[in-house]
């Protein structure tokens, strides 16, 4: 199966598309303005310059600043019940960079499985690195071990806490099945915990913690929780893989600047991060309510089904129409609105007729939403 | 030829080795303390937060912030006579990351040639990415086209302005020979301009500018000129390769945080960077004089030959001894001093007997140097 082309809406490309700049984008990835505590960040940054002048003039340790790794470990322990040592952690400039490190660590000869539908950048990065990549369909519980066995996968990349774009949280029985698959086959599970902080479900124990045999690689990012223009992510490796990393890849320089690592360390260890997350959770929860209420009161109610997934930043909106997703997209664009469809995240999106729009409301203006919904009503 | 193992002194690993922390390291890569204008940086960072709040909450363009690319282009035009458009530039988190992007862009099936001796991280990164890597010996002018033809290289990675560790600047005739090689064979030249700002020679026209046929990829970094813990580097691609990059790799997110990109953009465009470089040049020039004078007056003069290379941050020190480099290293370590040898940067460093130490004086304390030289004298 070939890598999926970027969707027309550019939702996946990291570059703002022309059309979404002018009109209303249902799936825009911009963040809520005025919500990040910039003044705290500026103050901590200034303190970093005073406190760490000496460290800033030295190369960083290959796996990142000790202070940041320790702060993240403490946070993971208190918030997620994860018992992780700073020596197991590698700080890197964004999850995409970390994916490449994982490929280099596990080897390009391995077969990597990804979720279908799923976040399309992941297979594109595997394929760009010349790695055999298999798309495995998900069911209501997420990816299944049988799918992995059928395609001969040796590594599987999943988001069990919160699957994108469906929002599925993998139940305990499926998690155990996957861990058994890894134990029995010697496979590895990449647990991509992207966005888990915004999940409004009680956090379930993650795979990394349940795993007893060193089969799970955990990764997460601060780009979603702090600001998209912050490029700080981290990898937690089981001890044996960390040993291999030290042997094979310790010579690689850390990719995140010291200034931001020390600033983020203080931001986390002094409680600002937790407070920020809690504030954002409340903010997004109330914003979601308002957004849904605008849609419900628009008179579009009968033609629209909202599929909430408690993910905190987006929900799915299924439209009742005879149009195909691509016809719908064309009509939307013509009228100055845009959005990504669930089918954009399938490995074969052709002729999809699900009409499920991904509604990322994190930076919605309710007046503009109202106008956009009216346009959508006209189209339907 | 196998990848070179990291030298015992860890000069290449990016991680500080135990021994260099306690004793005197002739080749330490730490920077001169108190030399970076931290207060200016802090002020610009604060302004970035005020001026760019909106941009900081959006994903960055794939190739980096427009403001930074424009500032670097202007700088390159005024300082290096390079005519480059911001659209040709890709900002990335360190040169090592950029090497990986180049491999992904040109393809893993290409054969890459590197300089022998040379900066050992470069071949290690190529080899880690599964790329065929050939070590080509350099002569007094640098790498030769005949060496490239002999090994079937399709891409060559060089530092023509300032070769590490020898400090050789490639003369014009050799540059033209290499460009001819690229034109005739369809090969590519990676011009790694690392450290060129500190070169005290009149800057020669670089390969990127001389090239008329789109065969040269230019790259440089701010980690050496600002601080090692800053991870901002950039790539300049000829138009055709930039087109290919957009088609193939535009979906990759930029790896450098917005905060630092906007701050660096202001630091460059408001003239602070140029002033900083000029100040550092003067500082290093006078420090080099003092360091050489300490060595000359140590009574070690007759056993030592200093090979200056006008590189601004290091010179070579050839010792007159019967000991092999590895015996010398052992004796040095036993006495609490350390250093990298030129032979550490050869692809086959075994049994080297050149006794050339790389003296990186950027953070030398002259008293400690005096003590270290006395120890060295005792050993010899």
């Amino acid at each position: 199966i070939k890598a999926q082309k970027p969707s027309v809406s550019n939702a996946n490309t990291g570059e703002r598309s022309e059309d979404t700049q002018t009109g209303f984008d249902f799936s825009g990835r911009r963040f809520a303005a005025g919500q990040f505590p910039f003044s705290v960040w500026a103050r901590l940054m200034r303190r970093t310059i005073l406190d760490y002048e000496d460290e800033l003039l030295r190369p960083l340790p290959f796996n990142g600043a000790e202070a940041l790794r320790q702060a993240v470990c403490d946070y993971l322990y208190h918030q997620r019940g994860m018992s992780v040592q700073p020596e197991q952690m590698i700080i890197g400039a964004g999850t995409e960079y970390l994916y490449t490190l994982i490929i280099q660590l596990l080897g390009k000869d391995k077969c990597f499985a990804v979720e279908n539908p799923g976040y399309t950048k992941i297979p594109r990065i595997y394929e760009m690195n010349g790695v055999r990549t298999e798309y495995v369909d998900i069911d209501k519980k997420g990816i299944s071990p049988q799918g992995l066995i059928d395609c001969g996968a040796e590594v599987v990349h999943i988001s069990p806490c919160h699957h994108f774009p469906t929002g599925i949280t993998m139940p305990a029985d499926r998690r155990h099945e996957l861990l058994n698959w890894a134990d029995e086959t010697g496979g590895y599970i990449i647990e991509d915990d992207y966005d888990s902080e915004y999940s409004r479900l009680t956090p379930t124990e993650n795979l990394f913690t349940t795993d007893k045999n060193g089969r799970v690689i955990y990764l997460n990012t601060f780009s979603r929780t702090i600001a998209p223009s912050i490029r700080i992510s981290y990898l937690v490796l089981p001890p044996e893989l960390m040993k291999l990393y030290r042997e094979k890849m310790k010579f690689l320089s850390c990719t995140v600047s010291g200034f931001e690592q020390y600033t983020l360390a203080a931001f986390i260890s002094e409680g600002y991060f937790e407070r920020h997350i809690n504030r954002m959770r409340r903010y997004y929860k109330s914003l979601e309510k308002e957004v849904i209420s605008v849609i419900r009161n628009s008179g579009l109610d009968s033609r629209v089904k909202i599929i909430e997934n408690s993910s905190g930043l987006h929900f799915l909106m299924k439209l009742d129409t005879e149009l195909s997703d691509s016809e719908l997209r064309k009509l939307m664009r013509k009228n100055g609105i845009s959005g990504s469809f669930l089918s954009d995240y399938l490995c074969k999106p052709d002729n999809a007729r699900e009409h499920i729009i991904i509604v990322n409301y994190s930076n919605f203006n309710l007046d503009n939403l109202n106008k956009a919904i009216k346009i959508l009503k006209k189209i339907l």
Side-chain angles (χ1 to χ4, degrees), chain A residues 286-300:
Chain A
S286 97
L287 182 60
E288 191 184 72
K289 256 192 195 162
E290 293 184 288
V291 166
I292 289 177
S293 139
V294 165
I295 297 172
R296 295 246 187 271
N297 297 329
S298 64
L300 196 68

Side-chain angles (χ1 to χ4, degrees), chain A residues 240-255:
Chain A
E240 211 158 308
L241 284 182
M242 191 64 211
K243 196 168 157 257
L244 181 65
Y245 190 97
R246 282 181 179 274
E247 284 164 21
K248 220 174 133 176
M249 293 163 68
K250 195 180 86 166
F251 76 96
L252 290 172
S253 302
C254 183
T255 44

Side-chain angles (χ1 to χ4, degrees), chain A residues 351-370:
Chain A
N351 296 318
R353 292 184 166 273
E354 295 182 308
H355 336 109
I356 297 180
I357 290 181
I358 295 162
V359 182
N360 182 341
Y361 51 80
S362 50
N363 194 39
F364 272 10
N365 169 307
L366 295 180
D367 288 342
N368 293 343
L369 171 67
N370 230 321

